[in-house]
Amino acid sequence: MKTILITGGAGFIGSHLIRLFVNKYPNYKIINLDKLTYAGNLANLTDIENAPNYEFVKRDIVDGDFIQRLFEKNTIDGVIHLAAESHVDRSISNPMEFIQTNIVGTVNLLNAAKHGWKDKIEGKLFYHISTDEVYGSLGDTGFFTETTAYDPHSPYSASKASSDHLVRSYHDTFGLPIVISNCSNNYGGYQFPEKLIPLFIHNIKNNKPLPVYGKGENVRDWLYVEDHTAAIDLIFHKGKKGETYNIGGNNEWTNIDLIRVICKTMDKKLDRKEGSSEQLITFVKDRAGHDMRYAIDSSKLQNELNWKPSLQFEEGIEKTINWYLENEDWLNNVTSGDYLKYYKEQYSENRY
Ligand code: NAD
Ligand code: TYD
């Protein structure tokens, strides 16, 4: 029986990963460590919350003493670290939360792993989940590879870049077994409706304006979230220690083209006149420091570990739109904060 600590497991990508690991690996005990910020929601995990190999711990990774105790009380074999403040716009209005969670929180986990694993390092792994945004912004051509120099522009990407450097430094300085992956923009169910795709689906449904930053010409490389978690599974089990892997969908869209696809699909699903959702598009002031283009070269992961995205974008976006339309209660719940009441009824805060 191995014990795997997954941080941020109540968030968007984390909840998909927890579901995959709890179901696929009954011989792993999965500890989900999450503070439950506005972005963390236990309603994302109701289907597995009573699984015998799953435990939820509500704590803050910024609490270093607690993280040490967690490692002392459990024999943790692997860490998959996703907990983070993840929204660029929030990092512009409140950078300090990003410094605390993304940098200090990551170092607390590194220290606890270094200390906890000092007598037996064999078979251990600290897997840090990162983003392509650390590489900065591309022009019209080219791709980010694992050796592209870091050039972050937002407090979010700068805090993630900093955490990536710290993780590598613990490998190089202390011999901590680590692996890092940098992924492009994810989409799918359970994403908090502040990010582009769920926000726009939500707004179209409610006939609210669609705020497009600048001219909508920025390009993102979109990957279906379950293709990301499949890559994490592969890298966790087969990745080479000390290495970095880029993960991407090879699926570039300008924001405005992507928004038009969402509008068209929503018109059909909601039985609205063709073109009616597009009328909600409203061009607004651009995001400060807005990166123009992200695009990932994932050939290392494809060639070395035989990964490839399983879904075509058209299929993925339709699945995603269906998910949000079928899970209206989830959307209302995360936007109202009712899930906190749910949490209090289910769990006590002081388990450690
Ligand atoms: P998310 O915002 O949906 O979830 C983050 C989770 O971390 C939440 O459950 C939140 O409660 C938890 N958390 C935040 N601060 C915490 C703290 N101090 N202590 C404990 N838990 C805390 O994020 P996501 O989109 O699922 O992203 C997960 C990870 O993947 C992040 O590290 C992010 O940088 C990375 N990533 C995301 C994307 C994307 O497109 N969403 C792409 C590439 C990489
Ligand atoms: P987002 O989902 O916030 O991801 P990221 O900034 O991490 O790539 O935004 C995706 C793109 O959509 C980005 O170029 C900013 C743009 N955007 C808008 O135009 N309007 C919005 O309301 C939001 C949230 C994003």
Side-chain angles (χ1 to χ4, degrees), residues 93-161:
S93 49
N94 184 11
M96 284 317 287
E97 288 278 335
F98 289 70
I99 308 307
Q100 286 297 329
T101 289
N102 299 1
I103 306 177
V104 178
T106 300
V107 178
N108 284 337
L109 287 159
L110 288 167
N111 283 335
K114 172 178 165 272
H115 179 74
W117 295 345
K118 68 180 180 310
D119 296 327
K120 191 175 179 288
I121 201 99
E122 229 184 275
K124 312 291 194 204
L125 183 64
F126 190 105
Y127 181 178
H128 180 61
I129 304 298
S130 193
T131 165
D132 62 355
E133 304 192 23
V134 297
Y135 297 122
S137 183
L138 292 163
D140 290 344
T141 57
F143 296 90
F144 299 133
T145 72
E146 288 80 0
T147 56
T148 301
Y150 277 29
D151 182 23
H153 299 290
S154 72
Y156 164 64
S157 55
S159 66
K160 290 297 289 186

XYZ file of all heavy atoms in Angstrom, residues 93-161:
538
model
N -5.014 41.646 -9.067
C -5.631 42.459 -8.004
C -5.104 42.112 -6.613
O -5.119 42.945 -5.725
C -7.156 42.358 -8.060
O -7.542 41.023 -8.149
N -4.603 40.881 -6.412
C -4.122 40.509 -5.074
C -2.921 39.561 -5.158
O -3.039 38.356 -4.898
C -5.272 39.855 -4.292
C -4.876 39.540 -2.866
O -3.814 39.992 -2.391
N -5.689 38.758 -2.168
N -1.734 40.105 -5.510
C -0.570 39.220 -5.729
C -0.124 38.445 -4.484
O 0.399 37.346 -4.611
C 0.537 40.180 -6.170
C -0.093 41.487 -6.423
C -1.425 41.519 -5.766
N -0.341 39.005 -3.282
C 0.259 38.381 -2.099
C -0.222 36.957 -1.837
O 0.539 36.101 -1.392
C 0.039 39.246 -0.847
C 0.945 40.463 -0.782
S 2.667 40.142 -1.244
C 3.240 39.245 0.178
N -1.498 36.697 -2.090
C -2.021 35.332 -1.923
C -1.227 34.352 -2.780
O -1.017 33.203 -2.418
C -3.488 35.250 -2.387
C -4.463 35.936 -1.475
C -4.854 35.066 -0.290
O -4.767 33.838 -0.395
O -5.226 35.661 0.746
N -0.800 34.838 -3.942
C -0.068 33.988 -4.892
C 1.341 33.701 -4.395
O 1.866 32.601 -4.569
C -0.058 34.631 -6.291
C -1.413 34.586 -6.949
C -2.459 35.368 -6.474
C -1.660 33.719 -8.010
C -3.729 35.301 -7.043
C -2.917 33.640 -8.589
C -3.953 34.435 -8.093
N 1.932 34.734 -3.768
C 3.282 34.562 -3.224
C 3.217 33.558 -2.081
O 4.046 32.642 -1.979
C 3.847 35.930 -2.718
C 3.744 37.018 -3.790
C 5.269 35.787 -2.186
C 4.328 36.688 -5.133
N 2.222 33.718 -1.225
C 2.097 32.842 -0.060
C 1.858 31.391 -0.484
O 2.627 30.497 -0.146
C 0.928 33.314 0.834
C 1.235 34.566 1.619
C 2.391 34.368 2.607
O 2.612 33.292 3.140
N 3.151 35.420 2.837
N 0.796 31.164 -1.201
C 0.428 29.773 -1.533
C 1.412 29.160 -2.524
O 1.943 28.069 -2.306
C -1.005 29.721 -2.100
O -1.909 29.990 -1.037
C -1.325 28.353 -2.695
N 1.662 29.880 -3.621
C 2.412 29.247 -4.710
C 3.904 29.118 -4.404
O 4.545 28.154 -4.829
C 2.206 30.020 -6.022
C 0.740 30.037 -6.451
O -0.122 29.491 -5.760
N 0.442 30.658 -7.565
N 4.444 30.085 -3.646
C 5.884 30.027 -3.342
C 6.112 29.454 -1.941
O 6.703 28.371 -1.800
C 6.550 31.417 -3.497
C 6.263 31.987 -4.902
C 8.049 31.305 -3.252
C 6.813 33.375 -5.157
N 5.594 30.136 -0.912
C 5.849 29.674 0.463
C 5.253 28.274 0.673
O 5.890 27.386 1.244
C 5.291 30.683 1.493
C 5.497 30.194 2.915
C 5.951 32.045 1.293
N 4.036 28.073 0.192
C 3.382 26.761 0.347
C 4.194 25.648 -0.303
O 4.364 24.560 0.259
N 4.735 25.919 -1.479
C 5.536 24.902 -2.178
C 6.814 24.593 -1.389
O 7.185 23.419 -1.219
C 5.889 25.375 -3.613
O 4.669 25.594 -4.316
C 6.728 24.341 -4.356
N 7.454 25.638 -0.863
C 8.686 25.400 -0.083
C 8.366 24.611 1.191
O 9.143 23.732 1.591
C 9.388 26.742 0.255
C 10.630 26.495 1.092
C 9.786 27.450 -1.022
N 7.228 24.892 1.813
C 6.847 24.103 2.996
C 6.741 22.619 2.650
O 7.201 21.760 3.407
C 5.498 24.580 3.547
C 5.624 25.880 4.310
O 6.706 26.217 4.796
N 4.532 26.614 4.424
N 6.153 22.315 1.523
C 6.024 20.909 1.106
C 7.394 20.307 0.797
O 7.680 19.162 1.148
C 5.095 20.807 -0.112
C 3.606 21.023 0.186
C 2.853 21.414 -1.074
C 2.989 19.763 0.800
N 8.248 21.101 0.133
C 9.599 20.609 -0.193
C 10.375 20.306 1.092
O 11.031 19.266 1.207
C 10.358 21.655 -1.022
C 9.904 21.848 -2.469
C 10.520 23.114 -3.054
C 10.276 20.632 -3.328
N 10.285 21.231 2.071
C 11.000 21.024 3.339
C 10.498 19.773 4.053
O 11.293 18.986 4.579
C 10.823 22.235 4.265
C 11.706 23.396 3.825
O 12.733 23.198 3.175
N 11.308 24.608 4.168
N 9.190 19.604 4.063
C 8.617 18.449 4.762
C 9.035 17.147 4.071
O 9.368 16.154 4.732
C 7.097 18.567 4.815
N 9.064 17.158 2.743
C 9.470 15.950 2.010
C 10.956 15.674 2.242
O 11.371 14.534 2.508
C 9.186 16.123 0.517
N 11.758 16.703 2.177
C 13.209 16.563 2.389
C 13.473 15.973 3.774
O 14.252 15.024 3.927
C 13.850 17.944 2.248
C 15.312 18.045 2.620
C 15.778 19.486 2.363
C 17.098 19.789 3.026
N 16.968 20.265 4.408
N 12.793 16.514 4.774
C 12.979 16.052 6.150
C 12.398 14.638 6.320
O 13.071 13.729 6.826
C 12.297 17.051 7.092
C 12.408 16.669 8.528
N 13.585 16.800 9.228
C 11.499 16.138 9.389
C 13.398 16.381 10.461
N 12.141 15.965 10.592
N 11.176 14.466 5.852
C 10.481 13.180 6.046
C 11.143 12.026 5.303
O 11.026 10.872 5.702
N 11.820 12.321 4.209
C 12.394 11.257 3.374
C 13.898 11.086 3.596
O 14.551 10.356 2.852
C 12.130 11.558 1.887
C 10.668 11.532 1.518
C 9.644 11.016 2.259
C 10.062 12.056 0.320
N 8.427 11.180 1.617
C 8.660 11.820 0.412
C 10.545 12.697 -0.825
C 7.753 12.193 -0.586
C 9.646 13.075 -1.827
C 8.265 12.816 -1.709
N 14.443 11.778 4.617
C 15.916 11.787 4.727
C 16.503 10.389 4.971
O 17.609 10.100 4.534
C 16.403 12.801 5.763
C 16.076 12.514 7.205
C 16.645 13.642 8.084
C 16.376 13.460 9.553
N 15.008 13.178 9.982
N 15.739 9.507 5.665
C 16.291 8.179 5.963
C 16.029 7.178 4.840
O 16.703 6.164 4.739
C 15.704 7.641 7.275
C 16.121 8.529 8.436
O 17.246 9.081 8.369
O 15.315 8.704 9.369
N 14.997 7.434 4.056
C 14.690 6.501 2.963
C 14.124 7.288 1.782
O 12.942 7.634 1.757
C 13.684 5.444 3.440
C 13.531 4.312 2.438
C 12.618 3.215 2.968
C 12.446 2.121 1.958
N 11.601 2.500 0.810
N 14.986 7.555 0.836
C 14.586 8.400 -0.301
C 14.132 7.530 -1.483
O 13.394 7.975 -2.360
C 15.758 9.344 -0.694
C 15.260 10.556 -1.483
C 16.860 8.612 -1.420
C 15.109 11.755 -0.619
N 14.546 6.251 -1.432
C 14.239 5.333 -2.539
C 12.728 5.191 -2.743
O 11.981 5.010 -1.777
C 14.786 3.961 -2.166
C 15.610 3.318 -3.253
C 16.000 1.945 -2.778
O 17.020 1.870 -2.075
O 15.244 0.997 -3.085
N 12.293 5.267 -3.975
C 10.883 5.067 -4.279
C 10.016 6.290 -4.017
O 8.804 6.254 -4.213
N 10.626 7.380 -3.554
C 9.833 8.585 -3.270
C 9.830 9.509 -4.492
O 10.771 9.466 -5.294
C 10.427 9.372 -2.085
C 10.750 8.539 -0.867
C 9.517 8.030 -0.172
C 9.857 7.510 1.208
N 8.907 6.541 1.710
N 8.795 10.335 -4.581
C 8.755 11.294 -5.687
C 7.939 12.527 -5.322
O 6.827 12.423 -4.798
C 8.134 10.653 -6.940
C 8.110 11.557 -8.188
C 9.513 11.904 -8.666
C 7.320 10.905 -9.319
N 8.509 13.683 -5.597
C 7.796 14.960 -5.441
C 7.486 15.469 -6.845
O 8.386 15.889 -7.576
C 8.680 15.969 -4.688
C 7.950 17.219 -4.284
C 7.572 17.421 -2.964
C 7.643 18.209 -5.214
C 6.904 18.590 -2.574
C 6.969 19.370 -4.836
C 6.598 19.559 -3.511
N 6.201 15.432 -7.213
C 5.794 15.817 -8.563
C 5.100 17.185 -8.486
O 4.041 17.306 -7.865
C 4.869 14.735 -9.137
C 4.372 14.957 -10.549
C 3.561 14.007 -11.157
C 4.699 16.093 -11.298
C 3.083 14.175 -12.450
C 4.230 16.275 -12.583
C 3.410 15.317 -13.141
O 2.925 15.506 -14.420
N 5.708 18.155 -9.120
C 5.185 19.524 -9.101
C 4.450 19.829 -10.403
O 5.011 19.697 -11.496
C 6.372 20.482 -8.920
C 5.998 21.921 -8.886
N 5.164 22.468 -7.936
C 6.366 22.961 -9.694
C 5.033 23.764 -8.161
N 5.735 24.091 -9.210
N 3.186 20.266 -10.256
C 2.366 20.557 -11.443
C 2.473 22.045 -11.766
O 2.118 22.890 -10.938
C 0.875 20.202 -11.179
C 0.722 18.736 -10.746
C 0.018 20.520 -12.398
C 1.161 17.711 -11.755
N 2.936 22.346 -12.965
C 3.085 23.757 -13.323
C 2.421 24.069 -14.671
O 1.697 23.236 -15.228
C 4.560 24.162 -13.312
O 4.664 25.570 -13.361
N 2.706 25.250 -15.126
C 1.968 25.808 -16.263
C 2.911 26.281 -17.378
O 4.072 26.612 -17.115
C 1.127 27.024 -15.768
O 0.673 27.782 -16.874
C 1.961 27.956 -14.895
N 2.386 26.337 -18.586
C 3.192 26.876 -19.701
C 3.396 28.385 -19.575
O 4.245 28.966 -20.249
C 2.551 26.532 -21.059
C 1.155 27.120 -21.260
O 0.611 27.727 -20.309
O 0.603 26.958 -22.365
N 2.610 29.024 -18.673
C 2.691 30.489 -18.579
C 4.036 30.965 -18.051
O 4.391 32.132 -18.218
C 1.530 31.024 -17.729
C 0.196 30.578 -18.299
C -1.025 31.279 -17.719
O -0.891 32.390 -17.199
O -2.114 30.696 -17.812
N 4.815 30.049 -17.436
C 6.155 30.434 -16.942
C 7.083 30.831 -18.093
O 8.039 31.566 -17.899
C 6.833 29.291 -16.135
C 6.029 28.959 -14.890
C 7.066 28.054 -16.988
N 6.789 30.324 -19.299
C 7.671 30.586 -20.441
C 7.434 31.947 -21.076
O 8.170 32.358 -21.981
C 7.486 29.519 -21.516
C 7.850 28.110 -21.098
C 6.909 27.075 -21.162
C 9.140 27.798 -20.661
C 7.243 25.775 -20.795
C 9.475 26.497 -20.298
C 8.522 25.495 -20.367
O 8.847 24.213 -20.014
N 6.330 32.611 -20.663
C 6.088 33.953 -21.204
C 5.172 33.931 -22.402
O 4.203 33.174 -22.434
N 5.473 34.743 -23.401
C 4.555 34.924 -24.510
C 5.270 34.713 -25.836
O 6.384 35.212 -26.029
C 3.992 36.350 -24.439
O 3.047 36.540 -25.453
N 4.621 34.002 -26.763
C 5.214 33.755 -28.086
C 4.699 34.772 -29.095
O 3.606 35.326 -28.924
C 4.836 32.353 -28.575
C 5.423 31.155 -27.822
C 4.641 29.884 -28.151
C 6.896 30.980 -28.175
N 5.474 34.952 -30.166
C 4.976 35.704 -31.319
C 4.112 34.774 -32.165
O 3.597 33.771 -31.670
N 4.010 35.088 -33.460
C 3.119 34.302 -34.324
C 3.580 32.867 -34.518
O 2.779 31.992 -34.828
C 3.042 34.954 -35.716
C 2.281 36.260 -35.641
O 1.583 36.464 -34.624
O 2.427 37.073 -36.581
N 4.890 32.621 -34.372
C 5.390 31.271 -34.641
C 6.150 30.731 -33.428
O 6.430 31.459 -32.484
C 6.372 31.275 -35.842
O 7.426 32.196 -35.536
C 5.686 31.680 -37.122
N 6.494 29.434 -33.530
C 7.329 28.818 -32.498
C 6.506 28.171 -31.393
O 5.279 28.377 -31.301
N 7.186 27.365 -30.580
C 6.532 26.613 -29.510
C 7.406 26.646 -28.263
O 8.623 26.771 -28.360
C 6.341 25.149 -29.920
C 5.423 24.979 -31.091
C 5.923 24.980 -32.388
C 4.057 24.850 -30.894
C 5.075 24.845 -33.478
C 3.201 24.713 -31.969
C 3.708 24.707 -33.273
N 6.806 26.481 -27.102
C 7.576 26.315 -25.874
C 8.088 24.877 -25.802
O 7.297 23.931 -25.936
C 6.713 26.538 -24.630
C 6.099 27.905 -24.499
C 4.752 28.046 -24.180
C 6.865 29.056 -24.634
C 4.177 29.300 -24.015
C 6.294 30.325 -24.473
C 4.944 30.443 -24.168
N 9.399 24.720 -25.578
C 9.932 23.386 -25.292
C 10.408 23.389 -23.838
O 10.392 24.428 -23.173
C 11.142 23.032 -26.193
O 12.264 23.820 -25.748
C 10.861 23.315 -27.657
N 10.878 22.238 -23.377
C 11.321 22.135 -21.987
C 12.550 23.003 -21.712
O 12.861 23.270 -20.551
C 11.628 20.670 -21.630
C 10.398 19.768 -21.501
C 9.832 19.290 -22.828
O 10.388 19.644 -23.896
O 8.829 18.547 -22.804
N 13.243 23.438 -22.768
C 14.445 24.243 -22.533
C 14.225 25.742 -22.807
O 15.163 26.533 -22.727
C 15.624 23.746 -23.412
O 15.198 23.770 -24.767
C 16.060 22.346 -23.021
N 13.002 26.110 -23.140
C 12.706 27.535 -23.332
C 12.984 28.286 -22.028
O 12.595 27.821 -20.947
C 11.217 27.724 -23.727
O 10.971 27.001 -24.936
C 10.871 29.186 -23.934
N 13.656 29.441 -22.142
C 13.969 30.220 -20.930
C 12.692 30.774 -20.310
O 11.763 31.168 -21.019
C 14.902 31.369 -21.298
N 12.660 30.789 -18.985
C 11.492 31.328 -18.278
C 11.417 32.841 -18.469
O 12.430 33.529 -18.425
C 11.580 31.014 -16.780
C 11.098 29.619 -16.416
C 11.178 28.555 -17.301
C 10.551 29.373 -15.161
C 10.728 27.296 -16.964
C 10.102 28.107 -14.803
C 10.187 27.072 -15.711
O 9.741 25.826 -15.358
N 10.175 33.354 -18.670
C 9.978 34.789 -18.886
C 8.553 35.172 -18.464
O 7.751 35.619 -19.284
C 10.221 35.088 -20.385
C 10.082 36.559 -20.703
O 10.243 37.398 -19.789
O 9.785 36.884 -21.870
N 8.225 34.951 -17.173
C 6.831 35.167 -16.750
C 6.464 36.637 -16.690
O 7.320 37.477 -16.414
C 6.817 34.559 -15.335
C 8.216 34.688 -14.843
C 9.102 34.544 -16.064
N 5.182 36.952 -16.934
C 4.756 38.349 -16.953
C 3.709 38.719 -15.919
O 3.535 39.897 -15.621
C 4.215 38.708 -18.341
C 5.244 38.562 -19.408
N 6.317 39.405 -19.518
C 5.402 37.633 -20.383
C 7.072 39.018 -20.523
N 6.551 37.936 -21.059
N 2.950 37.733 -15.431
C 1.919 38.076 -14.439
C 2.398 37.610 -13.066
O 3.251 36.715 -12.971
C 0.601 37.367 -14.787
O 0.719 35.973 -14.515
N 1.856 38.199 -11.990
C 2.213 37.679 -10.663
C 1.915 36.174 -10.550
O 2.648 35.442 -9.893
C 1.352 38.515 -9.716
C 1.157 39.807 -10.451
C 1.046 39.425 -11.906
N 0.844 35.708 -11.199
C 0.571 34.261 -11.177
C 1.727 33.484 -11.799
O 2.313 32.603 -11.172
C -0.740 33.955 -11.927
C -0.890 32.479 -12.286
C -0.997 31.512 -11.279
C -0.909 32.040 -13.623
C -1.117 30.152 -11.598
C -1.028 30.703 -13.940
C -1.140 29.763 -12.926
O -1.245 28.427 -13.243
N 2.086 33.838 -13.047
C 3.116 33.028 -13.717
C 4.476 33.212 -13.053
O 5.276 32.274 -12.991
C 3.167 33.333 -15.220
O 3.350 34.703 -15.464
N 4.715 34.415 -12.501
C 5.997 34.636 -11.807
C 6.061 33.786 -10.539
O 7.122 33.243 -10.201
C 6.167 36.111 -11.468
N 4.927 33.643 -9.844
C 4.937 32.822 -8.626
C 5.089 31.342 -8.984
O 5.770 30.590 -8.281
C 3.678 33.069 -7.784
O 2.526 32.616 -8.456
N 4.497 30.923 -10.094
C 4.662 29.517 -10.526
C 6.108 29.287 -10.985
O 6.703 28.246 -10.698
C 3.689 29.167 -11.665
C 2.229 29.094 -11.279
C 1.891 28.010 -10.267
C 1.974 26.608 -10.824
N 1.500 25.584 -9.850
N 6.673 30.257 -11.703
C 8.071 30.124 -12.148
C 8.975 29.975 -10.938
O 9.872 29.124 -10.896
C 8.475 31.341 -12.977
